[in-house]
Amino acid sequence: MTTPKFAQIKQFIVDKIKNGSWQEDQRVPSENELSSQFSVSRMTARRALSELTDAGILTRSQGLGTFVASFKSQSSLLEIKNIADEVKERNGRYSCSVHILESINAIAPIAIALGVEIDSVVYRSVLVHNENEKPLQVEERFVNPELAKDYLQQDFTLLTPHEYLSNVAPLTQARHTVEAIMPNNEMCQWLNLYNEEPCLQVIRRTWSSKGIVSFARLVSPGSKYRLGGHLTFKK
């Protein structure tokens, strides 16, 4: 089966970025240049650039052109850290319990978050991360099977989803929303909360160079967890 021309252009651009030929913030060929190089219409070239822009691989600036995105942008707000490492850095004992590991059909919000078709099969996991045998965080994660096909075969008591996904689909971009919530009964059970207590919820979507990898909801008791950040400004 012949690969569509727009997909060939996307792969060409991704390969240039992955092998270091094109660096962050470097201008990439224009629609006209790509249409000439690949002997396609401008519309086809535009589709390739638009899809890579939507995936966070490229950024477009009105009147200036299209550029390789900064793949370190996520650290300007929240550093993506492995929770097992966080616990160990505090000299704590990390452990994890797996409550759900399954394939499901994606309802509309999950499909939109992962950039897949509604009702297509995605993977879902629900884990509780513990520090010194006490629940610290519930992680509910939805994963694109195309980018992590062996996700359901992993033993997440031995490695975290973050560690596995970082190996098979290295992180290039992440987006977060953070809010305070009141946990429902199921969340209270998972976190061993016996009194109503506000929790910190982080919604996180992560990308690799090939697209959206996962959509996760991380919930921690407000009394046990906090977020910090470090800002670095470019000169």
Side-chain angles (χ1 to χ4, degrees):
M1 183 176 177
T2 304
T3 304
K5 284 288 187 178
F6 80 90
Q8 292 179 33
I9 297 173
K10 287 175 64 177
Q11 191 59 57
F12 166 77
I13 293 172
V14 168
D15 288 344
K16 287 287 188 182
I17 296 171
K18 287 175 68 176
N19 66 27
S21 297
W22 293 353
Q23 300 296 316
E24 293 181 13
D25 302 321
Q26 181 175 333
R27 186 181 179 278
V28 305
S30 66
E31 292 174 6
N32 284 335
E33 291 168 329
L34 289 171
S35 62
S36 175
Q37 180 176 349
F38 287 87
S39 301
V40 297
S41 66
R42 280 189 61 186
M43 185 177 297
T44 298
R46 183 180 301 123
R47 177 178 178 181
L49 293 176
S50 295
E51 290 191 4
L52 289 177
T53 300
D54 291 342
I57 305 301
L58 303 176
T59 59
R60 309 189 86 169
S61 180
Q62 187 82 24
L64 295 177
T66 305
F67 301 84
V68 178
S70 172
F71 295 157
K72 297 178 182 178
S73 60
Q74 74 274 4
S75 64
S76 65
L77 177 60
L78 294 172
E79 185 179 0
I80 306 297
K81 296 186 70 175
N82 181 28
I83 191 168
D85 293 335
E86 289 185 29
V87 171
K88 292 170 185 176
E89 285 171 4
R90 297 192 290 267
N91 295 318
R93 296 186 306 277
Y94 171 79
S95 61
C96 173
S97 54
V98 180
H99 290 263
I100 297 172
L101 199 56
E102 63 181 358
S103 297
I104 64 169
N105 295 106
I107 59 174
I110 302 304
I112 292 169
L114 288 176
V116 299
E117 296 293 326
I118 293 174
D119 287 331
S120 63
V121 174
V122 300
Y123 298 152
R124 175 180 179 239
S125 60
V126 177
L127 287 68
V128 176
H129 301 287
N130 306 297
E131 182 170 7
N132 299 327
E133 285 74 54
K134 294 182 179 179
L136 176 65
Q137 183 183 86
V138 173
E139 174 189 314
E140 180 179 26
R141 188 182 295 268
F142 301 89
V143 175
N144 184 346
E146 295 296 320
L147 301 181
K149 63 180 180 179
D150 296 325
Y151 186 80
L152 296 183
Q153 280 69 58
Q154 305 309 304
D155 183 350
F156 290 123
T157 64
L158 300 179
L159 84 169
T160 64
H162 172 82
E163 289 174 302
Y164 170 72
L165 294 174
S166 293
N167 286 328
V168 300
L171 179 71
T172 58
Q173 185 183 164
R175 295 179 186 170
H176 316 262
T177 60
V178 182
E179 62 180 333
I181 65 165
M182 293 303 297
N184 58 24
N185 289 336
E186 186 175 46
M187 192 65 67
C188 286
Q189 276 190 323
W190 285 333
L191 289 172
N192 285 351
L193 296 178
Y194 300 102
N195 299 309
E196 285 194 356
E197 177 183 338
C199 289
L200 184 68
Q201 175 176 274
V202 178
I203 301 294
R204 176 180 295 155
R205 295 169 73 200
T206 56
W207 281 256
S208 75
S209 59
K210 294 183 179 179
I212 302 171
V213 179
S214 73
F215 170 68
R217 181 168 69 118
L218 313 172
V219 179
S220 305
S223 61
K224 295 182 180 180
Y225 200 75
R226 65 181 181 182
L227 290 170
H230 175 77
L231 295 176
T232 300
F233 298 95
K234 293 183 178 180
K235 295 182 178 179

